Amino acid sequence: MPDLFPEAENPVEIIPARKLAAQVAALYVAPSDHFETRAVDELRLGFDGIDGDFHAGATRRSGGREPWYPRGTEMRNERQLSIVAADELAIVAGRMAIPEIKPEWIGANLLIEGLPHLSMLPSGTLLFFKGGVTIKVDAQNGPCRIAGRSVAENAGMADHEAGALLFPKAAKRLRGLVAWVEKPGRITAGEEISVRVPEQWIYRPEARDGQG
């Protein structure tokens, strides 16, 4: 049963932490000059992410996702890895009226199976890979037009621009996760994953002060 924060005027529901299990279905890496990925048998991870990958690096440049910084500001790279699930991609493909969306088209690095509602895993979730690697989830990966255009082109949609515009709507909350390397090492296809979901709650300041 969820706990309630006892000191709040309007009690805050707290969902306990839990452990889940999953498996690596496939692995992908991107060339250094393009975000689309290709299938590989293993990923070698350092603290900067995947060596040579498009999104590797301890830092990155801010873009449209960070309107609070001038574009191009150097910042911590919390987007070293892109994680997706086949069942969610199938839903997005159905919404776009195309047969499939391959993880490579949208720059995914890990295809994970066995986790219901992958994109809803909260920030701070830890993925412990059997081989020793640990990855920490930063947040949902917001779908964008760049990935949408890649989907439209690879799927052979008649109107690439329409596909690019449709993808962000169709893939909302189904685009998977971005994560960073907490403990480096090597990940192989088929590897087992122990997933630790942290305690969760919805932060509502008004729960204490009574103000809306």
Side-chain angles (χ1 to χ4, degrees), residues 78-79 81-83 136-141 176-180:
E78 81 294 13
R79 301 175 61 84
L81 297 154
S82 169
I83 308 170
K136 195 166 202 175
V137 171
D138 178 73
Q140 280 189 5
N141 193 359
L177 306 163
V178 288
W180 51 273

Side-chain angles (χ1 to χ4, degrees), residues 108-131:
N109 299 118
L110 288 96
L111 180 68
I112 289 181
E113 59 186 8
L115 280 177
H117 310 294
L118 172 78
S119 294
M120 291 298 177
L121 286 176
S123 299
T125 295
L126 288 166
L127 307 181
F128 295 93
F129 293 79
K130 190 172 183 179

Side-chain angles (χ1 to χ4, degrees), residues 25 83-95 99-101 103 111-120 170 173-176:
I83 308 170
V84 298
D87 58 337
E88 293 184 336
L89 294 185
I91 294 172
V92 180
R95 290 176 177 178
E100 64 176 346
I101 294 177
L111 180 68
I112 289 181
E113 59 186 8
L115 280 177
H117 310 294
L118 172 78
S119 294
M120 291 298 177
R173 301 191 181 95
L174 294 170
R175 172 66 170 86

Side-chain angles (χ1 to χ4, degrees), residues 1-77:
M1 291 290 291
D3 294 327
L4 296 178
F5 193 74
E7 299 176 13
E9 181 179 342
N10 300 309
V12 177
E13 183 178 354
I14 299 175
I15 307 299
R18 61 182 302 184
K19 294 182 181 180
L20 302 170
Q23 188 173 32
V24 177
L27 299 167
Y28 309 88
V29 66
S32 60
D33 61 346
H34 198 278
F35 86 97
E36 288 189 35
T37 50
R38 57 180 175 80
V40 293
D41 294 328
E42 66 176 25
L43 295 180
R44 294 186 178 274
L45 305 178
F47 287 114
D48 287 354
I50 304 169
D51 185 34
D53 185 82
F54 183 76
H55 288 105
T59 63
R60 67 180 180 88
R61 299 291 179 178
S62 64
R65 301 175 191 274
E66 298 84 28
W68 43 86
Y69 297 133
R71 187 178 289 267
T73 300
E74 188 174 20
M75 57 178 287
R76 171 65 61 189
N77 183 12

